């Protein structure tokens, strides 16, 4: 009898212990707050952001019929001047537009080297194995060429001599992205979608390396990314794939 009573007490204690452990676990963070915190971390790193469209089923939330880039573009045509790192403004946007994605305008503080997902995975592995400093990296889901990896770098800036850097066939503007299935270099006048973002078809944009990592010089990554893209495409890198320098 005493043995049975002891087993009952131990069973009750075990259930109580399990209940206490469940109660002591912090509640899962509110996704809205988590989203806001990630956006503020981007702004704190100095990267300007602005609201973007979001999925409406398999369509885009914008009014454009047959939108070519559903949920991947800014809401306002004035996105370049609207982009900001102001904490209060970002909080207002995040709380008043809970479904909105966000873009970051490139070419002011940072550029983005944008490559096919499989090429990006190969390049990232090689860069880290070689001990090269890699900055923030994001993965953008999708089908075909829409599946991308985004390498955030310091901007190449605005040199006194425009011919030193401009133009370059790697430069990518939003309206010409389909013409660059390989490596795209987002700089002045361009943007990329920021994590966390949702896309039609249950795809997402997420951080692999968050914005707390310092922005590297783009040239330290370019050769590895170019080689990975060439391997992915089954071609040999050409001299034209490099920025114009003198």
């Amino acid at each position: 009898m005493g043995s049975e009573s002891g087993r009952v007490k131990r069973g009750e204690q075990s259930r109580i212990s399990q209940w206490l452990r469940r109660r002591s676990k912090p509640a899962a963070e509110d996704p809205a707050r988590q989203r806001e915190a990630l956006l503020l971390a981007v702004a704190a790193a100095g990267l300007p952001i602005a609201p973007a469209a979001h999925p409406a089923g398999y369509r885009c939330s914008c009014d454009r019929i047959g939108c070519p880039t559903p949920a991947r573009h800014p809401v306002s045509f004035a996105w370049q001047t609207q982009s900001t790192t102001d904490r209060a403004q970002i909080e207002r946007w995040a709380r008043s537009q809970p479904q909105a994605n966000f873009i970051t305008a490139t070419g002011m503080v940072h550029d983005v080297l944008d490559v096919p997902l499989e090429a990006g995975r190969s390049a990232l592995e090689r860069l880290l194995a070689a001990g090269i400093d890699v900055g923030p990296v994001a993965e953008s889901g999708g089908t075909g060429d829409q599946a991308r990896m985004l390498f955030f770098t310091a901007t190449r800036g605005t040199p006194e001599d425009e011919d030193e850097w401009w133009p370059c066939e790697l430069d990518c503007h939003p309206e010409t992205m389909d013409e660059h299935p390989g490596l795209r270099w987002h700089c002045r006048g361009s943007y990329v979608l920021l994590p966390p973002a949702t896309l039609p078809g249950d795809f997402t944009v997420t951080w692999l390396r968050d914005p707390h990592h310092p922005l590297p010089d783009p040239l330290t990554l370019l050769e590895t990314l170019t080689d990975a893209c060439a391997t992915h495409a089954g071609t040999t890198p050409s001299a034209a794939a490099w920025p114009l320098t003198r």
Side-chain angles (χ1 to χ4, degrees), residues 126-215:
R126 286 173 56 191
L127 288 164
L128 294 176
I132 296 174
D133 290 333
V134 180
V137 179
E139 184 174 307
S140 179
T143 57
D145 289 334
Q146 288 186 331
R148 313 288 296 182
M149 190 172 286
L150 310 175
F151 290 78
F152 288 67
T153 71
T155 185
R156 59 187 179 181
T158 307
E160 292 182 8
D161 182 358
E162 281 288 305
D163 290 335
E164 181 180 355
W165 283 104
W166 197 269
C168 165
E169 74 171 31
L170 291 182
D171 292 327
C172 185
H173 292 262
E175 65 273 15
T176 63
M177 285 202 296
D178 288 343
E179 300 170 15
H180 297 265
L183 193 153
R184 307 164 180 169
W185 190 328
H186 297 269
C187 47
R188 286 171 292 171
S190 190
Y191 59 81
V192 296
L193 206 57
L194 270 178
T198 57
L199 301 169
D202 292 328
F203 293 112
T204 59
V205 183
T206 56
W207 286 116
L208 296 180
R209 291 169 57 86
D210 65 40
H212 294 102
H213 291 87
L215 296 170

Coordinates of all heavy atoms in Angstrom, one line a residue, residues 126-215:
R126 N 31.7 28.6 -49.9 CA 33.1 28.9 -50.3 C 33.6 30.1 -49.6 O 34.8 30.1 -49.1 CB 33.2 29.1 -51.8 CG 33.0 27.8 -52.6 CD 33.0 28.1 -54.1 NE 34.2 28.9 -54.6 CZ 34.3 29.4 -55.8 NH1 33.3 29.3 -56.6 NH2 35.4 30.1 -56.1
L127 N 32.9 31.2 -49.5 CA 33.3 32.4 -48.9 C 33.6 32.2 -47.4 O 34.6 32.6 -46.9 CB 32.3 33.5 -49.0 CG 32.1 34.1 -50.5 CD1 30.8 34.8 -50.6 CD2 33.3 35.0 -50.8
L128 N 32.7 31.5 -46.7 CA 32.9 31.3 -45.3 C 34.0 30.3 -45.0 O 34.8 30.5 -44.1 CB 31.6 30.7 -44.7 CG 30.4 31.6 -44.7 CD1 29.1 30.9 -44.1 CD2 30.7 32.9 -43.8
A129 N 34.2 29.3 -45.9 CA 35.3 28.4 -45.7 C 36.7 29.1 -45.9 O 37.7 28.7 -45.3 CB 35.2 27.2 -46.7
A130 N 36.7 30.1 -46.8 CA 37.9 30.8 -47.0 C 38.2 31.9 -46.0 O 39.2 32.6 -46.1 CB 37.8 31.5 -48.4
G131 N 37.3 32.1 -45.0 CA 37.4 33.1 -44.0 C 37.2 34.5 -44.4 O 37.6 35.4 -43.8
I132 N 36.4 34.6 -45.5 CA 36.1 36.0 -46.0 C 35.0 36.5 -45.3 O 34.0 35.8 -45.0 CB 35.8 35.9 -47.6 CG1 37.1 35.5 -48.3 CG2 35.3 37.3 -48.1 CD1 36.9 35.3 -49.8
D133 N 35.1 37.8 -44.9 CA 34.0 38.5 -44.2 C 32.8 38.6 -45.1 O 32.8 39.3 -46.1 CB 34.4 39.8 -43.7 CG 35.4 39.7 -42.5 OD1 35.4 38.7 -41.8 OD2 36.2 40.7 -42.4
V134 N 31.7 38.0 -44.7 CA 30.4 38.1 -45.4 C 29.4 38.8 -44.6 O 29.3 38.6 -43.4 CB 29.9 36.7 -45.8 CG1 28.5 36.8 -46.5 CG2 30.9 35.9 -46.6
G135 N 28.8 39.8 -45.2 CA 27.8 40.6 -44.4 C 26.4 39.9 -44.3 O 26.3 38.7 -44.4
P136 N 25.4 40.7 -44.2 CA 24.0 40.2 -44.1 C 23.7 39.4 -45.4 O 24.1 39.9 -46.5 CB 23.2 41.4 -44.0 CG 24.1 42.5 -43.4 CD 25.4 42.2 -44.0
V137 N 23.0 38.3 -45.3 CA 22.6 37.5 -46.5 C 21.1 37.1 -46.3 O 20.8 36.7 -45.2 CB 23.5 36.3 -46.6 CG1 23.0 35.5 -47.8 CG2 24.9 36.6 -46.8
A138 N 20.3 37.3 -47.3 CA 18.9 36.9 -47.3 C 18.6 35.9 -48.4 O 19.3 35.9 -49.4 CB 18.0 38.1 -47.4
E139 N 17.6 35.1 -48.1 CA 17.1 34.1 -49.1 C 15.7 34.4 -49.5 O 14.9 34.6 -48.6 CB 17.2 32.7 -48.5 CG 16.9 31.6 -49.5 CD 17.1 30.2 -48.9 OE1 18.2 29.9 -48.4 OE2 16.1 29.4 -48.9
S140 N 15.5 34.6 -50.8 CA 14.2 34.9 -51.3 C 13.6 33.7 -52.1 O 14.2 33.3 -53.1 CB 14.3 36.1 -52.2 OG 13.0 36.5 -52.8
G141 N 12.5 33.2 -51.6 CA 11.9 32.0 -52.2 C 11.2 32.3 -53.5 O 10.9 33.5 -53.8
G142 N 10.9 31.3 -54.3 CA 10.2 31.4 -55.5 C 10.5 30.3 -56.4 O 11.2 29.3 -56.1
T143 N 9.9 30.3 -57.6 CA 10.2 29.3 -58.6 C 11.1 29.8 -59.7 O 11.1 31.0 -60.0 CB 8.9 28.8 -59.3 OG1 8.2 30.0 -59.9 CG2 7.9 28.3 -58.3
G144 N 12.0 28.9 -60.2 CA 12.9 29.3 -61.3 C 13.8 30.4 -60.9 O 14.4 30.4 -59.8
D145 N 13.9 31.4 -61.7 CA 14.9 32.5 -61.5 C 14.4 33.4 -60.4 O 15.2 34.3 -59.9 CB 15.1 33.3 -62.8 CG 15.8 32.6 -63.8 OD1 16.6 31.7 -63.5 OD2 15.7 32.9 -65.0
Q146 N 13.2 33.2 -59.9 CA 12.7 34.1 -58.7 C 13.4 33.6 -57.4 O 13.3 34.4 -56.5 CB 11.2 34.0 -58.6 CG 10.5 34.8 -59.7 CD 9.0 34.9 -59.5 OE1 8.4 34.0 -58.9 NE2 8.4 35.9 -60.0
A147 N 13.9 32.4 -57.3 CA 14.5 32.0 -56.1 C 15.9 32.5 -56.1 O 16.8 32.2 -56.9 CB 14.6 30.4 -56.1
R148 N 16.2 33.4 -55.1 CA 17.4 34.2 -55.2 C 18.1 34.2 -53.8 O 17.5 33.9 -52.8 CB 17.2 35.7 -55.6 CG 16.3 35.8 -56.8 CD 17.0 35.5 -58.1 NE 18.1 36.3 -58.4 CZ 18.8 36.2 -59.5 NH1 18.6 35.3 -60.4 NH2 19.9 37.0 -59.7
M149 N 19.4 34.6 -53.8 CA 20.1 34.8 -52.5 C 20.7 36.3 -52.7 O 21.2 36.6 -53.7 CB 21.2 33.8 -52.3 CG 21.8 34.0 -50.9 SD 23.0 32.6 -50.4 CE 21.8 31.2 -50.2
L150 N 20.5 37.0 -51.6 CA 20.9 38.4 -51.6 C 22.0 38.7 -50.7 O 21.9 38.4 -49.5 CB 19.7 39.3 -51.2 CG 18.3 39.0 -51.9 CD1 17.2 39.9 -51.3 CD2 18.5 39.3 -53.4
F151 N 23.1 39.2 -51.2 CA 24.3 39.5 -50.4 C 24.4 41.0 -50.2 O 24.6 41.7 -51.2 CB 25.6 39.0 -51.1 CG 25.7 37.5 -51.1 CD1 25.0 36.7 -52.0 CD2 26.6 36.8 -50.2 CE1 25.1 35.3 -52.0 CE2 26.7 35.4 -50.2 CZ 26.0 34.7 -51.1
F152 N 24.2 41.5 -49.0 CA 24.2 42.9 -48.7 C 25.7 43.4 -48.5 O 26.4 42.8 -47.7 CB 23.4 43.2 -47.5 CG 21.9 43.0 -47.7 CD1 21.4 41.8 -47.9 CD2 21.1 44.1 -47.6 CE1 20.0 41.7 -48.1 CE2 19.7 44.0 -47.8 CZ 19.2 42.8 -48.0
T153 N 26.1 44.4 -49.2 CA 27.5 44.9 -49.1 C 27.4 46.4 -48.9 O 26.4 47.1 -49.1 CB 28.2 44.6 -50.5 OG1 27.7 45.5 -51.5 CG2 28.1 43.2 -50.9
A154 N 28.6 47.0 -48.7 CA 28.7 48.5 -48.7 C 28.5 49.0 -50.1 O 28.7 48.3 -51.1 CB 30.1 48.9 -48.2
T155 N 28.0 50.2 -50.2 CA 27.7 50.7 -51.5 C 29.1 51.1 -52.2 O 30.0 51.5 -51.5 CB 26.8 51.9 -51.5 OG1 26.5 52.4 -52.8 CG2 27.4 53.1 -50.7
R156 N 29.1 51.1 -53.5 CA 30.3 51.6 -54.2 C 30.3 53.1 -54.3 O 31.2 53.7 -54.7 CB 30.3 51.0 -55.6 CG 29.2 51.3 -56.5 CD 29.3 50.5 -57.7 NE 28.1 50.7 -58.6 CZ 28.0 50.1 -59.8 NH1 28.9 49.3 -60.2 NH2 27.0 50.4 -60.5
G157 N 29.2 53.7 -53.8 CA 29.1 55.2 -53.7 C 29.0 55.9 -55.0 O 28.5 55.3 -56.0
T158 N 29.3 57.2 -55.0 CA 29.1 58.0 -56.1 C 30.5 58.7 -56.4 O 30.9 59.7 -55.9 CB 28.1 59.2 -55.9 OG1 26.9 58.6 -55.4 CG2 27.8 60.0 -57.1
P159 N 31.3 58.0 -57.2 CA 32.7 58.5 -57.5 C 32.6 59.8 -58.2 O 31.7 60.1 -58.9 CB 33.3 57.4 -58.3 CG 32.2 56.7 -58.9 CD 31.0 56.8 -57.9
E160 N 33.7 60.6 -58.1 CA 33.8 61.9 -58.8 C 33.7 61.7 -60.3 O 33.1 62.4 -61.0 CB 35.1 62.6 -58.4 CG 35.1 63.1 -57.0 CD 36.3 63.9 -56.7 OE1 37.1 64.2 -57.6 OE2 36.6 64.2 -55.5
D161 N 34.4 60.7 -60.8 CA 34.4 60.3 -62.2 C 33.3 59.3 -62.5 O 33.5 58.1 -62.1 CB 35.8 59.9 -62.7 CG 35.8 59.6 -64.2 OD1 34.8 59.7 -64.8 OD2 36.9 59.2 -64.6
E162 N 32.2 59.6 -63.1 CA 31.1 58.6 -63.3 C 31.6 57.5 -64.1 O 31.1 56.3 -64.0 CB 29.9 59.3 -64.0 CG 29.1 60.1 -63.0 CD 28.2 59.2 -62.1 OE1 27.5 58.4 -62.6 OE2 28.3 59.4 -60.9
D163 N 32.5 57.7 -65.1 CA 33.0 56.6 -65.9 C 33.8 55.6 -65.2 O 34.0 54.5 -65.7 CB 33.8 57.2 -67.1 CG 33.0 58.0 -68.1 OD1 31.8 57.7 -68.2 OD2 33.6 58.9 -68.7
E164 N 34.2 55.9 -64.0 CA 35.0 54.9 -63.2 C 34.2 53.7 -62.9 O 34.7 52.6 -62.9 CB 35.6 55.5 -61.9 CG 36.4 54.6 -61.1 CD 36.9 55.2 -59.8 OE1 36.7 56.4 -59.7 OE2 37.5 54.5 -59.0
W165 N 32.9 53.9 -62.5 CA 32.0 52.8 -62.1 C 30.8 52.6 -63.0 O 30.1 51.6 -62.9 CB 31.6 53.0 -60.7 CG 32.6 52.7 -59.7 CD1 33.3 53.5 -58.9 CD2 33.0 51.4 -59.2 NE1 34.1 52.9 -58.1 CE2 33.9 51.5 -58.2 CE3 32.6 50.1 -59.6 CZ2 34.5 50.5 -57.6 CZ3 33.2 49.0 -58.9 CH2 34.1 49.2 -57.9
W166 N 30.5 53.6 -63.8 CA 29.1 53.7 -64.4 C 29.2 53.9 -65.9 O 29.9 54.7 -66.3 CB 28.4 54.9 -63.8 CG 26.9 54.8 -63.9 CD1 26.2 55.3 -65.0 CD2 25.9 54.2 -63.1 NE1 24.9 55.1 -64.8 CE2 24.7 54.4 -63.7 CE3 26.0 53.5 -61.9 CZ2 23.5 54.0 -63.1 CZ3 24.9 53.0 -61.3 CH2 23.6 53.3 -61.9
P167 N 28.6 53.1 -66.7 CA 27.7 52.0 -66.3 C 28.4 50.7 -66.3 O 29.6 50.6 -66.6 CB 26.7 52.0 -67.5 CG 27.5 52.4 -68.7 CD 28.6 53.4 -68.1
C168 N 27.7 49.7 -65.8 CA 28.2 48.3 -65.8 C 27.1 47.4 -66.1 O 26.0 47.6 -65.6 CB 28.8 48.1 -64.4 SG 29.1 46.3 -64.1
E169 N 27.3 46.3 -66.8 CA 26.2 45.5 -67.2 C 25.7 44.7 -66.1 O 24.6 44.1 -66.2 CB 26.7 44.5 -68.3 CG 27.6 43.4 -67.9 CD 27.8 42.4 -69.0 OE1 27.7 42.7 -70.2 OE2 27.9 41.2 -68.7
L170 N 26.4 44.7 -64.9 CA 25.8 44.0 -63.7 C 24.8 44.9 -63.0 O 24.0 44.4 -62.2 CB 26.9 43.7 -62.7 CG 27.9 42.6 -63.1 CD1 28.9 42.4 -62.0 CD2 27.2 41.3 -63.5
D171 N 24.8 46.3 -63.3 CA 23.9 47.1 -62.6 C 22.5 46.7 -62.9 O 22.1 46.4 -64.1 CB 24.1 48.6 -63.1 CG 25.4 49.1 -62.6 OD1 25.9 48.7 -61.5 OD2 26.0 49.9 -63.3
C172 N 21.7 46.7 -61.9 CA 20.3 46.2 -62.1 C 19.3 47.2 -61.5 O 19.3 47.6 -60.4 CB 20.1 44.9 -61.3 SG 18.5 44.1 -61.6
H173 N 18.4 47.6 -62.4 CA 17.3 48.5 -62.0 C 16.0 47.6 -61.9 O 15.9 46.6 -62.6 CB 17.1 49.6 -63.0 CG 18.2 50.6 -63.0 ND1 18.1 51.8 -62.3 CD2 19.4 50.5 -63.6 CE1 19.3 52.4 -62.5 NE2 20.1 51.7 -63.3
P174 N 15.1 47.9 -61.1 CA 13.9 47.1 -60.9 C 13.2 46.6 -62.2 O 12.8 45.5 -62.3 CB 13.0 47.9 -60.0 CG 13.9 48.8 -59.3 CD 15.0 49.1 -60.2
E175 N 13.1 47.6 -63.1 CA 12.3 47.3 -64.3 C 13.1 46.4 -65.3 O 12.6 45.9 -66.3 CB 11.9 48.5 -65.0 CG 13.1 49.4 -65.6 CD 13.6 50.4 -64.6 OE1 13.3 50.2 -63.4 OE2 14.4 51.3 -64.9
T176 N 14.4 46.1 -65.0 CA 15.2 45.3 -65.9 C 15.6 44.0 -65.3 O 16.5 43.3 -65.9 CB 16.4 46.1 -66.4 OG1 17.3 46.3 -65.3 CG2 16.1 47.4 -67.1
M177 N 15.1 43.6 -64.2 CA 15.6 42.4 -63.4 C 15.4 41.2 -64.3 O 16.2 40.3 -64.2 CB 14.9 42.3 -62.1 CG 15.4 43.3 -61.1 SD 15.1 42.8 -59.4 CE 13.3 42.8 -59.3
D178 N 14.3 41.0 -65.1 CA 14.2 39.8 -65.8 C 15.2 39.7 -66.9 O 15.4 38.6 -67.4 CB 12.8 39.8 -66.5 CG 11.7 39.6 -65.5 OD1 11.9 39.2 -64.4 OD2 10.5 40.0 -65.8
E179 N 15.9 40.7 -67.2 CA 17.0 40.7 -68.2 C 18.3 40.2 -67.6 O 19.3 40.0 -68.3 CB 17.2 42.0 -68.9 CG 16.0 42.6 -69.6 CD 16.1 44.0 -70.0 OE1 17.3 44.5 -70.0 OE2 15.1 44.7 -70.3
H180 N 18.3 40.0 -66.3 CA 19.6 39.6 -65.6 C 19.3 38.4 -64.8 O 19.2 38.4 -63.5 CB 20.0 40.7 -64.7 CG 20.4 42.0 -65.4 ND1 21.7 42.3 -65.8 CD2 19.7 43.0 -65.9 CE1 21.8 43.4 -66.4 NE2 20.6 43.9 -66.5
P181 N 19.2 37.2 -65.4 CA 18.9 36.0 -64.6 C 20.1 35.5 -63.8 O 19.9 34.7 -62.9 CB 18.6 34.9 -65.8 CG 19.3 35.5 -66.9 CD 19.3 37.0 -66.9
G182 N 21.3 36.0 -64.1 CA 22.5 35.6 -63.4 C 22.7 36.5 -62.2 O 21.8 36.8 -61.4
L183 N 23.9 37.2 -62.1 CA 24.2 38.1 -61.0 C 23.6 39.4 -61.3 O 23.8 40.0 -62.4 CB 25.7 38.1 -60.8 CG 26.2 38.8 -59.5 CD1 27.5 38.2 -59.2 CD2 26.3 40.3 -59.7
R184 N 22.9 40.0 -60.4 CA 22.4 41.3 -60.5 C 23.0 42.2 -59.4 O 23.1 41.8 -58.2 CB 20.8 41.3 -60.2 CG 20.1 40.4 -61.1 CD 18.7 40.1 -60.6 NE 17.9 39.2 -61.4 CZ 16.7 38.7 -61.0 NH1 16.2 39.0 -59.8 NH2 16.1 37.9 -61.8
W185 N 23.4 43.4 -59.8 CA 24.0 44.3 -58.8 C 23.1 45.5 -58.6 O 22.9 46.3 -59.4 CB 25.4 44.8 -59.3 CG 26.2 45.6 -58.3 CD1 25.8 46.4 -57.3 CD2 27.7 45.6 -58.3 NE1 26.9 46.9 -56.6 CE2 28.0 46.4 -57.2 CE3 28.7 45.0 -59.0 CZ2 29.3 46.7 -56.9 CZ3 30.0 45.2 -58.7 CH2 30.3 46.1 -57.6
H186 N 22.4 45.5 -57.4 CA 21.5 46.6 -57.1 C 22.3 47.7 -56.5 O 22.9 47.6 -55.4 CB 20.4 46.1 -56.1 CG 19.6 45.0 -56.6 ND1 18.4 45.2 -57.3 CD2 19.8 43.6 -56.6 CE1 17.8 44.0 -57.6 NE2 18.7 43.1 -57.2
C187 N 22.2 48.9 -57.1 CA 22.9 50.0 -56.6 C 21.9 51.2 -56.7 O 20.8 51.1 -56.3 CB 24.2 50.3 -57.3 SG 24.2 50.2 -59.1
R188 N 22.4 52.4 -57.2 CA 21.6 53.5 -57.2 C 20.3 53.3 -58.1 O 20.4 52.8 -59.2 CB 22.4 54.7 -57.8 CG 23.4 55.3 -56.8 CD 24.3 56.3 -57.5 NE 25.1 55.7 -58.5 CZ 25.9 56.4 -59.3 NH1 25.9 57.7 -59.3 NH2 26.7 55.7 -60.2
G189 N 19.2 53.7 -57.5 CA 17.9 53.6 -58.3 C 17.3 52.3 -58.2 O 16.3 52.0 -58.9
S190 N 17.8 51.4 -57.4 CA 17.2 50.0 -57.3 C 16.8 49.7 -55.8 O 17.0 50.6 -54.9 CB 18.2 49.0 -57.8 OG 17.6 47.7 -57.9
Y191 N 16.2 48.6 -55.6 CA 15.8 48.2 -54.3 C 15.7 46.6 -54.3 O 15.7 46.0 -55.3 CB 14.4 48.8 -54.0 CG 13.3 48.4 -54.9 CD1 12.7 47.2 -54.8 CD2 12.9 49.3 -55.9 CE1 11.7 46.8 -55.7 CE2 11.9 48.9 -56.8 CZ 11.3 47.7 -56.7 OH 10.3 47.4 -57.6
V192 N 15.6 46.1 -53.1 CA 15.4 44.7 -52.9 C 14.3 44.5 -51.8 O 14.2 45.4 -50.9 CB 16.6 43.8 -52.6 CG1 17.6 43.9 -53.7 CG2 17.3 44.3 -51.3
L193 N 13.6 43.4 -51.8 CA 12.7 43.1 -50.8 C 13.4 42.6 -49.5 O 14.4 41.9 -49.6 CB 11.8 42.0 -51.3 CG 10.4 41.8 -50.7 CD1 9.6 43.1 -50.9 CD2 9.6 40.7 -51.3
L194 N 12.9 43.1 -48.4 CA 13.6 42.8 -47.1 C 12.9 41.7 -46.4 O 11.7 41.6 -46.4 CB 13.5 44.1 -46.2 CG 14.6 45.1 -46.2 CD1 14.2 46.2 -45.3 CD2 15.9 44.5 -45.8
P195 N 13.6 40.9 -45.6 CA 13.0 40.0 -44.7 C 12.5 40.8 -43.5 O 13.0 41.8 -43.1 CB 14.2 39.1 -44.2 CG 15.3 39.3 -45.2 CD 15.1 40.7 -45.7
P196 N 11.4 40.3 -42.8 CA 10.6 39.1 -43.3 C 9.6 39.6 -44.3 O 8.9 40.6 -44.1 CB 10.0 38.7 -41.9 CG 9.8 40.0 -41.2 CD 11.0 40.8 -41.5
A197 N 9.4 38.8 -45.3 CA 8.4 39.2 -46.3 C 7.7 37.9 -46.8 O 8.3 36.8 -46.7 CB 9.1 39.8 -47.5
T198 N 6.5 38.0 -47.2 CA 5.7 36.9 -47.7 C 5.4 37.1 -49.2 O 5.3 38.3 -49.7 CB 4.4 36.7 -47.0 OG1 3.6 38.0 -47.1 CG2 4.6 36.4 -45.5
L199 N 5.4 36.1 -50.0 CA 5.2 36.1 -51.4 C 4.1 35.2 -51.8 O 3.8 34.2 -51.1 CB 6.5 35.7 -52.1 CG 7.8 36.6 -51.8 CD1 9.0 35.9 -52.4 CD2 7.6 38.0 -52.4
P200 N 3.5 35.4 -53.0 CA 2.4 34.5 -53.5 C 3.0 33.1 -53.6 O 4.2 32.9 -53.9 CB 2.1 35.1 -54.8 CG 2.4 36.5 -54.7 CD 3.6 36.6 -53.9
G201 N 2.1 32.1 -53.3 CA 2.6 30.7 -53.4 C 3.2 30.2 -52.1 O 4.0 29.2 -52.1
D202 N 3.0 31.0 -51.0 CA 3.6 30.6 -49.7 C 5.1 30.7 -49.6 O 5.7 29.9 -48.9 CB 3.1 29.2 -49.2 CG 1.6 29.2 -48.9 OD1 1.1 30.2 -48.5 OD2 1.0 28.1 -49.2
F203 N 5.7 31.5 -50.5 CA 7.2 31.7 -50.4 C 7.4 32.8 -49.5 O 6.6 33.7 -49.2 CB 7.7 32.0 -51.8 CG 7.6 30.8 -52.8 CD1 6.8 30.9 -53.9 CD2 8.4 29.7 -52.6 CE1 6.7 29.8 -54.8 CE2 8.3 28.6 -53.5 CZ 7.4 28.7 -54.5
T204 N 8.7 32.9 -49.0 CA 9.1 33.9 -48.0 C 10.4 34.5 -48.4 O 11.2 33.9 -49.2 CB 9.1 33.4 -46.6 OG1 10.1 32.3 -46.5 CG2 7.7 32.9 -46.2
V205 N 10.8 35.6 -47.7 CA 12.1 36.2 -47.8 C 12.6 36.2 -46.3 O 11.9 36.8 -45.4 CB 12.1 37.6 -48.4 CG1 13.6 38.1 -48.4 CG2 11.5 37.6 -49.7
T206 N 13.7 35.5 -46.1 CA 14.2 35.4 -44.7 C 15.7 35.7 -44.6 O 16.4 35.6 -45.6 CB 14.0 33.9 -44.2 OG1 14.6 33.0 -45.1 CG2 12.5 33.6 -44.1
W207 N 16.2 36.0 -43.4 CA 17.6 36.3 -43.2 C 18.3 34.9 -43.0 O 17.9 34.1 -42.2 CB 17.8 37.1 -41.9 CG 17.5 38.6 -42.1 CD1 16.5 39.3 -41.4 CD2 18.1 39.5 -43.0 NE1 16.5 40.6 -41.8 CE2 17.5 40.8 -42.8 CE3 19.2 39.4 -43.9 CZ2 17.9 41.9 -43.5 CZ3 19.6 40.6 -44.5 CH2 18.9 41.8 -44.3
L208 N 19.4 34.8 -43.6 CA 20.4 33.7 -43.3 C 21.5 34.2 -42.4 O 22.0 33.5 -41.5 CB 21.0 33.1 -44.6 CG 20.1 32.5 -45.6 CD1 20.9 32.0 -46.8 CD2 19.3 31.3 -45.0
R209 N 21.9 35.5 -42.6 CA 22.8 36.2 -41.8 C 22.2 37.6 -41.6 O 21.9 38.3 -42.5 CB 24.2 36.3 -42.4 CG 24.9 35.0 -42.5 CD 26.1 35.1 -43.4 NE 27.1 36.2 -43.0 CZ 28.0 36.0 -42.1 NH1 28.2 34.8 -41.5 NH2 28.8 37.0 -41.8
D210 N 21.9 37.9 -40.3 CA 21.1 39.1 -40.0 C 21.9 40.4 -40.2 O 23.1 40.4 -40.5 CB 20.5 39.0 -38.6 CG 21.6 39.1 -37.5 OD1 22.6 39.8 -37.7 OD2 21.5 38.3 -36.5
P211 N 21.2 41.6 -40.2 CA 21.8 42.9 -40.5 C 22.8 43.4 -39.5 O 23.4 44.4 -39.6 CB 20.6 43.8 -40.6 CG 19.5 43.2 -39.9 CD 19.7 41.7 -40.0
H212 N 23.0 42.6 -38.4 CA 24.1 43.0 -37.4 C 25.5 42.8 -38.0 O 26.4 43.3 -37.5 CB 23.9 42.2 -36.1 CG 22.6 42.6 -35.4 ND1 21.5 41.7 -35.4 CD2 22.3 43.6 -34.6 CE1 20.6 42.3 -34.7 NE2 21.0 43.4 -34.2
H213 N 25.6 41.9 -39.0 CA 26.9 41.7 -39.6 C 27.4 42.9 -40.4 O 26.6 43.5 -41.1 CB 26.9 40.5 -40.5 CG 26.7 39.2 -39.8 ND1 25.5 38.7 -39.5 CD2 27.6 38.3 -39.4 CE1 25.6 37.5 -38.9 NE2 26.9 37.3 -38.8
P214 N 28.6 43.4 -40.3 CA 29.1 44.6 -41.0 C 29.0 44.4 -42.5 O 29.2 43.2 -43.0 CB 30.5 44.7 -40.5 CG 30.6 43.9 -39.2 CD 29.6 42.8 -39.4
L215 N 28.8 45.4 -43.2 CA 28.7 45.4 -44.7 C 30.1 45.3 -45.3 O 31.0 46.1 -45.0 CB 28.0 46.6 -45.2 CG 26.6 46.8 -44.8 CD1 26.1 48.2 -45.3 CD2 25.7 45.8 -45.5

